[in-house]
């Protein structure tokens, strides 16, 4: 199956999913969309998020994608169930696979922290999914307004980033959580800072890994996985700031992206654009 997997996020965060796809599904073709013009999603209403998600999926269908990965916790929390009913292709989110991973841990955590966007925290999506499986686990969700913007700007190891991360992690340290879920795909970019602030062994859970494991299992079960593909094609599109996307993305992907690899694609309602520097 040469048809690509579609992946989207509000910006560079979804590249943490690309990193896991490269590890587990290296033969798959990929179409990626980073919606930088409308970042952050976490401050938008559920109605706005659903509208954006539909626009992106409709656009991705023009590439004949065989599946879509919503590499965004906010859209996974607010739109996944609806679009799964509306589209006839597999659509994957981040939250349920992460809850399943925690359920199957040999040493079950007593307290789980979640750092996420305001919209994801408000939805309580992680709490609901984890408590369905493990009712006795305490889930503490912390909204991190502004952190996505810091990461998008490339200030990943700056003093500003350290202060912001420390501010959001301190309540979880006080609660002595056993695990912290990186409830936004941008946050693995600052995982080193979190480990420095809260040096606890096997502390962080990256939902990207468990979504990709689910994608791998489903594609294989449907017989639409790429077993052999010596030259997989990865197409990258952004709705704004391609050079910034490349600069920040290459801190994660180790100089994989160049200017010729990333194209600008504007979608949907321009009134929702928060970053007009396209």
């Amino acid at each position: 199956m040469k048809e690509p997997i579609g992946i989207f996020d509000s910006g560079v965060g979804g590249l943490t999913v690309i990193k896991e796809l490269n590890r587990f599904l290296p033969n798959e073709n990929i179409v990626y969309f980073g919606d930088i013009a409308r970042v952050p999603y976490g401050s938008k209403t559920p109605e706005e998020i659903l509208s954006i998600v539909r626009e992106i999926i409709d656009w991705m269908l023009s590439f004949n994608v065989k599946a879509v990965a919503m590499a965004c916790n906010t859209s996974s929390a607010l739109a996944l169930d609806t679009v799964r009913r509306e589209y006839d292709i597999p659509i994957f989110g981040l939250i349920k696979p992460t809850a399943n991973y925690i359920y199957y841990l040999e040493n079950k955590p007593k307290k789980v922290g979640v750092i996420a966007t305001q919209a994801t925290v408000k939805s309580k999506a992680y709490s609901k999914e984890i408590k369905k499986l493990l009712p006795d686990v305490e889930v503490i969700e912390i909204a991190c307004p502004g952190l996505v913007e810091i990461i998008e700007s490339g200030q990943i190891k700056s003093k500003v980033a350290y202060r912001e991360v420390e501010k959001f992690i301190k309540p979880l340290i006080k609660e002595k959580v056993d695990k912290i879920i990186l409830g936004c795909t941008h946050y693995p970019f600052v995982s080193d800072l979190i480990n420095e602030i809260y040096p606890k062994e096997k502390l962080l859970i990256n939902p990207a890994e468990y979504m990709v494991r689910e994608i791998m299992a489903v594609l294989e079960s449907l017989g639409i996985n790429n077993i052999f593909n010596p030259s997989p094609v990865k197409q990258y599109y952004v709705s704004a700031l391609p050079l910034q996307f490349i600069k920040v993305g290459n801190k994660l992907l180790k100089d994989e992206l160049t200017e010729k690899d990333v194209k600008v694609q504007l979608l949907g309602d321009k009134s929702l654009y928060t970053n007009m520097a396209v």
Side-chain angles (χ1 to χ4, degrees):
M1 290 289 291
K2 298 299 183 182
E3 291 83 356
I5 299 171
I7 302 168
F8 72 88
D9 182 49
S10 61
V12 299
L15 294 179
T16 60
V17 175
I18 296 280
K19 185 177 180 180
E20 298 303 320
L21 278 165
N22 289 343
R23 183 157 69 108
F24 290 102
L25 293 166
N27 296 316
E28 295 295 343
N29 299 319
I30 290 169
V31 175
Y32 181 89
F33 182 68
D35 198 5
I36 295 171
R38 294 186 283 200
V39 70
Y41 282 4
S43 60
K44 291 179 170 50
T45 67
E47 293 76 20
E48 289 170 339
I49 294 297
L50 181 57
S51 175
I52 288 170
V53 169
R54 285 170 173 155
E55 288 165 2
I56 295 171
I57 295 175
D58 287 343
W59 173 76
M60 285 186 162
L61 290 175
S62 69
F63 293 87
N64 198 28
V65 294
K66 62 184 176 184
V68 171
M70 297 171 63
C72 168
N73 284 270
T74 301
S75 57
S76 292
L78 299 176
L80 178 62
D81 290 342
T82 299
V83 295
R84 275 182 167 170
R85 292 192 296 267
E86 294 176 348
Y87 293 90
D88 193 27
I89 58 170
I91 301 177
F92 299 90
L94 291 147
I95 296 166
K96 289 183 181 180
T98 305
N100 289 337
Y101 164 72
I102 293 171
Y103 176 75
Y104 286 109
L105 281 173
E106 186 175 349
N107 296 315
K108 303 287 191 294
K110 295 180 180 178
K111 288 186 178 182
V112 174
V114 180
I115 54 173
T117 66
Q118 292 164 293
T120 301
V121 169
K122 187 177 180 180
S123 74
K124 297 191 180 298
Y126 275 102
S127 294
K128 291 173 184 175
E129 288 301 325
I130 292 170
K131 284 185 170 294
K132 281 180 189 177
L133 301 173
L134 296 166
D136 295 331
V137 172
E138 184 178 351
V139 182
I140 303 160
E141 299 187 71
I142 303 290
C144 306
L147 188 53
V148 166
E149 292 90 331
I150 289 171
I151 293 167
E152 285 284 336
S153 70
Q155 301 179 71
I156 295 168
K157 296 186 178 180
S158 66
K159 291 181 180 179
V160 172
Y162 186 95
R163 286 196 301 268
E164 288 298 297
V165 171
E166 185 178 41
K167 178 175 68 178
F168 300 133
I169 295 299
K170 270 187 173 180
L172 300 179
I173 296 175
K174 186 177 180 180
E175 292 288 343
K176 298 180 180 178
V177 297
D178 305 301
K179 300 285 185 183
I180 294 177
I181 295 171
L182 302 174
C184 171
T185 48
H186 284 75
Y187 296 172
F189 279 94
V190 293
S191 58
D192 288 344
L193 290 182
I194 298 171
N195 284 321
E196 183 179 342
I197 294 163
Y198 192 10
K200 185 179 176 69
E201 188 177 359
K202 296 181 180 179
L203 173 69
L204 301 181
I205 296 175
N206 180 4
E209 175 179 344
Y210 306 104
M211 178 170 72
V212 170
R213 287 179 182 272
E214 181 180 62
I215 293 171
M216 181 170 60
V218 170
L219 295 188
E220 185 175 341
S221 70
L222 295 173
I224 58 174
N225 56 317
N226 264 345
I227 298 173
F228 178 73
N229 186 9
S231 300
V233 176
K234 294 181 174 62
Q235 302 177 69
Y236 296 91
Y237 295 84
V238 295
S239 54
L241 302 174
L243 296 181
Q244 183 173 302
F245 176 84
I246 291 166
K247 180 180 177 181
V248 179
N250 281 340
K251 292 181 180 181
L252 183 75
L253 297 180
K254 306 303 180 187
D255 298 318
E256 179 176 311
L257 299 175
T258 66
E259 287 186 41
K260 67 179 182 179
D261 297 319
V262 181
K263 300 175 183 177
V264 174
Q265 176 69 49
L266 302 181
L267 293 179
D269 185 354
K270 307 301 187 295
S271 69
L272 295 178
Y273 281 20
T274 53
N275 189 344
M276 294 305 294
V278 297

